[in-house]
């Protein structure tokens, strides 16, 4: 669902714990970051809960991050900083392309990735395929920030498997965006990070096409979990792959993305001034985080 989940390996959702803070009871939500590392944050209220055949779905109002979307107890997206993840996922890839008209999103049920894609004036069609219709419906109803994106006539929403949705779609795309759970062994998304999958993606891209995918934790201690593996897998398929990373506070780590290019020309390095000029000319409204300076600092 949202970045569709950039979480770590799935674990049973922890029960909220009551803690005594200065003589008053407070509700805390604990989340496992690693098997031996856990963090917690205060819960002001539990706004909505639901369940699909795939996962538990919750919307919780927290102290540090505002409203947060939880899937199986793991934070997927936070009101206070989701723009960092989604702007860094979408805009570098679309701005690198000279004129992106057609975009495919694998995952992204939260709607935030589609929201950022549809801010590009050149985009004529955005196809989003997410497997969990309950999450999509839940986010449509409760995430006001994405209501316009879900109602945009350029958005074609398909509930189903992203791989088969892309492979069987009639037509090709200028940009493919992977907003999926990390490739943890046993997770259904694992097959959407393989060399065979990327070769299929490349065949569904128009000449000069671009693929971007979220790539999990990219910190000094966490980058070898999936970030470097995804980068090396993409390099077996695409002539140029550019890694990027940026800190996302609610993920408790630096987060990573990979941008893969079908040709070297499209993947040419863009300076800060050129990024800012393309944003001004091609993106509706003001971005909250991504700009030329951010681009220079997040590319590795």
């Amino acid at each position: 669902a949202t970045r569709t989940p950039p979480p770590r390996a799935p674990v049973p959702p922890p029960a909220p714990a009551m803690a005594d803070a200065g003589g008053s009871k407070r509700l805390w939500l604990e989340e496992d970051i690693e098997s031996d590392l856990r963090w917690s944050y205060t819960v002001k209220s539990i706004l909505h809960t639901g369940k699909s055949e795939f996962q538990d779905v919750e919307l919780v109002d927290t102290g540090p991050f505002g409203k947060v979307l939880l899937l199986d107890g793991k934070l997927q997206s936070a009101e206070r900083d989701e723009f960092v993840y989604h702007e860094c996922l979408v805009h570098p890839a679309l701005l690198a392309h000279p004129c992106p008209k057609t975009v495919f999103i694998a995952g992204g049920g939260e709607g935030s990735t589609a929201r950022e894609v549809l801010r590009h004036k050149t985009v004529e069609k955005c196809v989003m395929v997410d497997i969990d219709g309950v999450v999509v419906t839940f986010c449509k109803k409760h995430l006001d920030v994405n209501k316009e994106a879900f109602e945009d006539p350029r958005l074609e929403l398909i509930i189903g498997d992203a791989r088969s949705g892309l492979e069987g779609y009639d037509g090709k795309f200028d940009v493919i965006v992977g907003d999926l759970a990390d490739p943890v062994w046993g997770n259904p998304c694992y097959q959407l990070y393989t060399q065979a999958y990327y070769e299929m993606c490349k065949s569904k891209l128009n000449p000069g096409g671009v693929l971007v995918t979220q790539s999990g934790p990219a910190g000094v201690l966490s980058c070898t979990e999936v970030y470097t593996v995804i980068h090396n897998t993409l390099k077996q398929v695409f002539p140029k792959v550019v890694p990027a990373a940026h800190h996302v506070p609610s993920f408790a780590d630096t987060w990573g993305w990979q941008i893969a290019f079908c040709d070297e020309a499209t993947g040419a390095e863009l300076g800060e001034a050129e990024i800012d000029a393309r944003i001004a000319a091609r993106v509706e409204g003001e971005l909250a985080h991504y700009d030329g300076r951010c681009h220079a600092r997040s590319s590795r």
Side-chain angles (χ1 to χ4, degrees):
T2 198
R3 105 208 107 282
T4 310
R8 284 59 77 172
V11 295
M18 295 298 292
D20 193 332
S24 62
K25 294 292 184 180
R26 303 177 69 185
L27 187 65
W28 290 78
L29 181 65
E30 294 183 340
E31 181 177 352
D32 289 331
I33 305 300
E34 303 289 347
S35 60
D36 57 357
L37 177 62
R38 176 180 294 174
W39 78 330
S40 59
Y41 40 89
T42 57
V43 174
K44 294 181 178 180
S45 61
I46 299 173
L47 301 174
H48 300 281
T49 61
K51 186 176 180 66
S52 75
E53 63 177 298
F54 302 102
Q55 55 207 338
D56 293 319
V57 187
E58 297 167 290
L59 187 65
V60 176
D61 190 12
T62 71
F65 304 122
K67 296 177 184 177
V68 303
L69 175 67
L70 304 170
L71 298 181
D72 283 340
K74 301 289 284 184
L75 188 151
Q76 305 301 308
S77 182
E79 181 181 32
R80 296 271 171 82
D81 66 3
E82 60 86 8
F83 58 86
V84 177
Y85 171 87
H86 292 105
E87 289 187 10
C88 288
L89 172 67
V90 170
H91 298 300
L94 268 72
L95 291 171
H97 193 283
C99 186
K101 294 182 178 180
T102 53
V103 179
F104 182 93
I105 301 173
E110 172 193 351
S112 297
T113 297
R115 179 195 71 214
E116 295 302 320
V117 167
L118 293 167
R119 295 179 70 173
H120 284 255
K121 301 172 186 177
T122 61
V123 171
E124 298 173 354
K125 174 180 277 191
C126 176
V127 179
M128 184 176 89
V129 181
D130 193 280
I131 198 168
D132 199 331
V134 171
V135 170
V136 173
T137 300
F138 184 93
C139 292
K140 273 185 175 182
K141 182 176 181 181
H142 299 300
L143 299 184
D144 292 340
V145 70
N146 295 334
K147 283 189 181 297
E148 288 187 16
F150 280 118
E151 295 170 356
D152 194 306
R154 295 173 293 168
L155 178 66
E156 180 180 351
L157 174 60
I158 300 171
I159 303 303
D161 174 68
R163 179 175 186 144
S164 59
L166 175 59
E167 194 167 20
Y169 198 85
D170 184 17
K172 296 188 177 185
F173 298 89
D174 295 320
V175 179
I176 294 174
V177 182
D179 188 10
L180 302 154
D182 291 344
V184 178
W185 183 255
N187 185 310
C189 285
Y190 183 85
Q191 296 301 318
L192 281 79
Y193 290 90
T194 63
Q195 182 173 334
Y197 173 72
Y198 291 139
E199 287 171 346
M200 185 273 290
C201 286
K202 188 178 181 183
S203 74
K204 297 294 290 186
L205 284 167
N206 289 319
V210 182
L211 179 144
V212 60
T213 182
Q214 83 86 16
S215 301
V220 173
L221 300 179
S222 59
C223 64
T224 57
E225 292 176 16
V226 295
Y227 179 76
T228 55
V229 176
I230 294 170
H231 178 79
N232 290 332
T233 304
L234 282 165
K235 285 179 67 176
Q236 305 306 307
V237 178
F238 291 89
K240 183 170 185 178
V241 181
V242 177
H246 208 85
H247 182 65
V248 181
S250 62
F251 291 171
D253 206 342
T254 299
W255 214 256
W257 301 267
Q258 308 287 340
I259 308 173
F261 300 92
C262 285
D263 61 52
E264 294 279 350
T266 308
E269 181 63 32
L270 301 175
E272 293 184 29
E274 179 61 23
I275 290 291
D276 288 335
R278 293 192 182 192
I279 290 173
R282 291 163 48 171
V283 179
E284 294 280 2
E286 294 289 327
L287 298 184
H289 178 73
Y290 180 76
D291 59 11
R293 188 176 183 187
C294 170
H295 178 87
R297 292 184 174 185
S298 61
S299 298
R300 293 191 167 188

